[in-house]
């Protein structure tokens, strides 16, 4: 079913709204769920508003980090988990994940000595910059690659 939804005001002009739907794991829903959501919204929307129901589109975000050579697998797993939690809590279609958000996620996992070597969105390097999604694209945490300091 639908676990999350976001709205885009004036999606197709005045008096329109785009409604982006996803499952609870921030992934696209199946065609039947999308149709059921569209039907339900159509029955319950305010009069005079035209809606468009849109399936979430994910863009994979990969991180390349350098960490101390003696870092444990437990620490690596904590970093991966913290980055995923950060994506799930603040990621949104058309939103921004700042470098500050990323650094907070990494340090909250218990690591203070590290470098972010690269960030990739859909396999394209964006360097060490904020992650900015456009339109209906959602930043899905994909891979974390670890090198050593």
């Amino acid at each position: 079913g639908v676990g999350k939804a976001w709205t885009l005001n004036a999606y197709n002009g005045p008096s329109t709204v785009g409604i982006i739907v996803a499952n609870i794991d921030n992934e696209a829903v199946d065609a039947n769920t999308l149709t059921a959501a569209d039907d339900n919204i159509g029955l319950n929307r305010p009069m005079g508003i035209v809606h468009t129901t849109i399936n979430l589109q994910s863009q994979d975000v990969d991180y390349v980090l350098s960490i101390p050579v003696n870092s444990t697998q437990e620490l690596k797993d904590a970093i991966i988990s913290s980055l995923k939690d950060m994506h799930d809590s603040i990621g949104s279609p058309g939103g921004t994940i700042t470098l500050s958000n990323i650094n907070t996620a990494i340090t909250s996992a218990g690591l203070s000595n590290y470098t972010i070597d690269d960030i990739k969105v859909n396999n394209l390097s964006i360097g060490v910059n904020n992650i900015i999604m456009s339109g209906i694209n959602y930043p899905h945490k994909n891979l974390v690659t670890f090198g050593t300091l």
Side-chain angles (χ1 to χ4, degrees):
V2 173
K4 293 186 179 180
W6 299 267
T7 58
L8 302 170
N9 294 329
Y11 181 67
N12 287 320
S15 299
T16 67
V17 65
I19 302 165
I20 303 168
V21 296
N23 67 20
I24 194 67
D25 296 318
N26 294 323
E27 298 169 347
V29 297
D30 61 55
N32 291 336
T33 301
L34 185 64
T35 299
D38 184 64
D39 291 346
N40 187 303
I41 293 165
L43 292 172
N44 294 294
R45 67 177 165 74
M47 295 300 290
I49 298 295
V50 176
H51 77 282
T52 303
T53 306
I54 309 154
N55 214 345
L56 182 72
Q57 293 184 10
S58 294
Q59 292 197 353
D60 289 337
V61 177
D62 302 329
Y63 296 93
V64 180
L65 309 175
S66 290
I67 61 176
V69 68
N70 61 346
S71 297
T72 65
Q73 187 59 48
E74 182 178 293
L75 177 60
K76 292 176 184 178
D77 291 344
I79 294 166
I80 292 168
S81 178
S82 186
L83 286 167
K84 181 186 182 317
D85 290 347
M86 182 260 308
H87 274 255
D88 289 346
S89 67
I90 66 169
S92 64
T96 299
I97 295 177
T98 66
L99 279 175
S100 177
N101 299 137
I102 297 164
N103 284 313
T104 298
I106 294 168
T107 57
S108 71
L111 184 65
S112 58
N113 183 19
Y114 66 93
T115 59
I116 301 172
D117 300 319
D118 196 12
I119 301 170
K120 298 177 183 179
V121 177
N122 281 351
N123 292 320
L124 298 174
S125 173
I126 64 167
V128 182
N129 291 294
N130 294 337
I131 302 167
I132 302 171
M133 295 286 107
S134 61
I136 62 173
N137 295 311
Y138 178 85
H140 178 261
K141 190 223 48 86
N142 189 36
L143 299 173
V144 179
T145 304
F146 296 102
T148 56
L149 290 174

